[in-house]
Amino acid sequence: MWSGWLVVSCVCAWAAGYSPLEHDYDNEGPTKFLCSDCEYLLSQPAAAAKLQAGSLPENRALLEAHPNFTEAARSVGKGDNAAAVRACQMLDACPRTLQFHFGAPVSPLNLRVTRGLGGKGYEYMRVSVISNASAPVQPSGFAYSRRFQYRWTDKWLSSTLVRVTPGVAQTLDVAGVNVTIKLPVENNGSRGIVIADPCFSGRFIGCKYGGTFKTFERLTTLLNVAMASGEIDYWMILGDNFYDRTGEITSQFFDALSLKTMSTIFASTPGNHDFWVGGGPDSEKPEDQYGNGFMQFYAQDTIASKNMSTSEFIDFAVNPDSPGDHMPYGRNFNWYNKIGNVAFIGYSGAHTLAASRPHFEEACAWVQQAKPDAVFLVGHWNSESLGCKAHMDVPNAWEELKTVPGCDKLGNKLKYIMGHTHCNQITREEGGLGTGFMVAGMGMGGCGNFGIPLIDSHNGTLRMWYYPIADVTTHEDKYDALLKCWQDKSPMQCTSLATSWLQQPL
């Protein structure tokens, strides 16, 4: 049985029909196979037979020469990522840099705390627990409790809407675990970390810099340290969440998060790989999750919840295994809410503008009433590509939002944040102020940078800080210094290590 941290190394071979969009060439080992291909291939049910029958391509002789070859061949082929990782480690052909967590989860609960939909009232929060369907956690008083539908069906979701007192830390008994949640006072400042496109595993698609940047170890550690400081009110992932089809990779990441991190307000928007793991409709496969795993695992209070019964909050009307359109309705992914003095509008770019425009109108009508000091449109795509519908990339959706009553007079208070192209950078400025931001440098190939963006709306000023961690162009690695400062002090006492992306009076 695995416990604690597992350091991974791999050899691999191309699998028939597998053509990832990204490759981790920086992790190529002496056998000239890629770690991501190894992990993908050896996690497939037929892997053991292929390995033993000699149907792997040109470097089989190198594999057979390895003293652990026979044992590795016996250990794979169970459709199990842990077994695949173990086999790749035994074959010892790639740098031992990729890290995973296969031990007992750090937190006693896989908890999700998300904001109630804005129109329901500022004081509402959704609290959810994700557990194993074979031994489901069903907390007393939770209105919704059932096995995941359609995809990731080895998991169980229990969820309920709770009313809290803003500004007061409140402790809830969730299945015998004391969970403390806190929502900032409305119209007071708030702080949050926003990232996109995090990768650390190459099981389904490559992760070029996952090993170089040690994204698994570093992201989980920094998130846990940041939340422990008490300075951070929320965190978000804006799509392509771990490039996962089955939910196993996602679970590995969340298993390494502390209860404090998972008790902190969370939000997410889907990306192309959350619908089609290969990257878009052209690479669609029947086993893709089509966002079904996403919308249950992250358990957000979306527009879909507005017209449903008290217990129901996800619309399962579209069965992805039935003929026709496999995509869940966009209202399962579109939401709006407020944290302190900042409002967020989240949406799916994989759904049409015609279907989404009413949701934008609803959100902007709410913005007009809620009167936040700043509004961020958050989504995934930065361009119309790989499954993004016409005019639904974030820059175009932002332009659309500026025409909607309630958002049309926000001026430079309306910003946007996105992912998709794997860079961390300011993408748009107006009047010398940052307006658009990209936060997708989290391990995938692209600009080759890696860091943590942080929003701060305290003291009458909207700030965005970017804490650089590593960069393949400059060969800088600032992780140790950043971690020490955050541990010894706190994120907001370490802004000397950050770059200022935005400083705007509110």
Side-chain angles (χ1 to χ4, degrees), residues 438-451:
M438 182 176 287
V439 296
M442 299 291 151
M444 272 292 186
C447 293
N449 59 1
F450 175 41

Side-chain angles (χ1 to χ4, degrees), residues 310-329:
T310 304
S311 61
E312 302 294 324
F313 69 106
I314 302 173
D315 188 339
F316 292 111
V318 178
N319 183 338
D321 298 316
S322 296
D325 191 358
H326 304 304
M327 300 284 282
Y329 293 128

Side-chain angles (χ1 to χ4, degrees), residues 110 148 151-152 154-155 203-204 241-254 289 293-294 297:
N110 189 342
F148 272 37
R151 297 293 186 271
W152 302 10
D154 61 324
K155 304 183 190 305
R203 177 175 182 182
F204 298 109
N241 297 4
F242 314 110
Y243 300 83
D244 194 3
R245 175 180 282 155
T246 64
E248 189 176 1
I249 297 168
T250 302
S251 294
Q252 287 167 12
F253 187 88
F254 276 78
Q289 58 147 312
F294 176 102
F297 193 86

Side-chain angles (χ1 to χ4, degrees), residues 347-370:
Y347 79 102
S348 163
H351 295 80
T352 66
L353 177 58
S356 303
R357 173 82 188 199
H359 300 160
F360 290 160
E361 291 171 352
E362 178 180 327
C364 288
W366 166 81
V367 163
Q368 192 168 30
Q369 294 179 343

Side-chain angles (χ1 to χ4, degrees), residues 16-17 42 66 85 118 127 137 157 202 229 239-240 268 286 293 300 422 427 479 484 488:
L42 298 190
H66 196 286
V85 167
V127 178
V137 176
L157 171 61
S229 74
D240 287 0
S268 193
Q300 299 183 95
H422 307 129
T427 59
Y479 174 74
K484 185 177 190 320
D488 293 349

